[in-house]
Amino acid sequence: MQEELLDIICCPLDKQDLELDVAEREDGDIVAGTLTCSECGEAYPIEDGIPNLLPPDMREDAPA
Amino acid sequence: MTDDEQSSELDVDRPALADQRGVDTVYGASEDSHLLAEAAVEGAKEGERALDIGTGSGYVAGALAEAGVDVVGTDLNPAACRQVHEAGISAVRANLLDPIRADAVDLVVFNPPYLPTDPETEWGDWMQAALSGGEDGRAVVDPFLADVGRVLQDDGRAFLLVSSLTGIDDVTEFAGEQGLNSSIVAEESFPFERLVVLRLTVE
């Protein structure tokens, strides 16, 4: 993901700001890291360049 | 019962429309995608910021990106997110507009799962998530309409694909209750359904 994405995304639970913690960057693209809600503290993973902003109770709830 | 028997039974239970459209793990671009992409590109300006909700194969997002729109694709399905990301489009795994800020975008496009589905024959995989709109076909459309006004900027527009199978009047009526004006900007008729693209703006 690009850092500018922070302009449009927020915590899905309380709509508050997300703080970005970059673990791996490749040509300006954030490949791995964590987005943490500044209010409720919920952490959302960035994997393979894709932030997973599903609420925690939906994260594992994947159809077969 | 063996696993094989279970899977063959599931195949039989799949709705005919899903069969006609080809069954895979990511819903591919179809007539509805073309109609929506055309209307969205026509209603967008270069440099605007857009969201393609339930981006699937990324067809509509790709058309917007080609038109110079700054587009982000979201999907519940991780395989769809990967496909879109690999095509060079920004992807977010999300449920509808849940992780989107207020007044964040100029444009929202959505080709929702809209087929009315008998709960007895729900088949429980990613294709169901992409196609089924629950018993009345509006299980996903209604929550979208209830929230889309929040994320649109003042002069923002949403383009929503709706089928006659879902009930176009029911959708526009519910949109009105959510403070949204709607008008039909594109339509196409098929043997079993009429597809329309609704343009929605905040009243």
Side-chain angles (χ1 to χ4, degrees):
Chain A
M1 64 166 265
Q2 302 287 315
E3 209 154 334
E4 296 87 80
L5 192 65
L6 289 171
D7 294 344
I8 67 166
I9 58 174
C10 60
C11 176
L13 299 175
D14 57 19
K15 315 289 186 211
Q16 299 301 310
D17 290 354
L18 294 167
E19 277 162 25
L20 172 66
D21 180 26
V22 179
E24 191 189 340
R25 209 185 276 262
E26 217 177 88
D27 304 327
D29 199 39
I30 298 150
V31 181
T34 309
L35 293 160
T36 307
C37 178
S38 57
E39 188 67 28
C40 71
E42 187 61 47
Y44 303 91
I46 305 167
E47 287 166 355
D48 300 323
I50 302 165
N52 182 349
L53 293 176
L54 291 179
D57 63 335
M58 286 183 77
R59 234 175 259 161
E60 306 305 328
D61 185 25
Chain B
M1 187 190 278
T2 67
D3 285 341
D4 282 343
E5 279 168 347
Q6 273 178 349
S7 59
S8 62
E9 219 174 66
L10 280 176
D11 286 343
V12 171
D13 286 343
R14 274 186 174 135
L17 264 172
D19 281 345
Q20 287 168 20
R21 289 166 173 198
V23 172
D24 204 339
T25 59
V26 177
Y27 178 58
S30 193
E31 295 90 349
D32 45 2
S33 319
H34 295 288
L35 194 67
L36 182 60
E38 234 172 57
V41 166
E42 202 166 302
K45 295 185 200 92
E46 207 178 319
E48 282 191 319
R49 193 176 261 175
L51 280 175
D52 181 17
I53 304 297
T55 188
S57 67
Y59 178 82
V60 177
L64 284 168
E66 234 167 77
V69 175
D70 181 10
V71 60
V72 173
T74 77
D75 210 292
L76 205 53
N77 181 346
C81 289
R82 280 194 294 273
Q83 196 171 319
V84 169
H85 183 256
E86 275 162 26
I89 291 165
S90 184
V92 177
R93 194 161 175 222
N95 179 44
L96 296 176
L97 300 157
D98 286 357
I100 306 302
R101 288 174 182 270
D103 309 315
V105 294
D106 304 293
L107 213 68
V108 176
V109 295
F110 188 27
N111 181 4
Y114 60 70
L115 296 178
T117 313
D118 183 341
E120 304 276 304
T121 61
E122 294 265 320
W123 62 101
D125 62 9
W126 284 120
M127 270 303 118
Q128 177 193 310
L131 294 170
S132 169
E135 257 181 289
D136 62 3
R138 301 207 310 277
V140 183
V141 173
D142 284 356
F144 169 81
L145 290 170
D147 202 24
V148 69
R150 180 182 63 83
V151 307
L152 288 175
Q153 289 175 1
D154 286 345
D155 60 346
R157 295 129 278 151
F159 293 90
L160 174 70
L161 190 116
V162 187
S163 162
S164 51
L165 296 172
T166 314
I168 295 161
D169 291 343
D170 293 331
V171 173
T172 52
E173 193 182 319
F174 185 79
E177 288 165 18
Q178 310 306 310
L180 300 166
N181 289 316
S182 54
S183 58
I184 294 175
V185 291
E187 58 186 306
E188 202 167 344
S189 288
F190 296 93
F192 300 103
E193 60 182 327
R194 184 165 74 100
L195 300 178
V196 306
V197 177
L198 291 181
R199 181 184 190 270
L200 304 160
T201 52
V202 180
E203 273 171 12

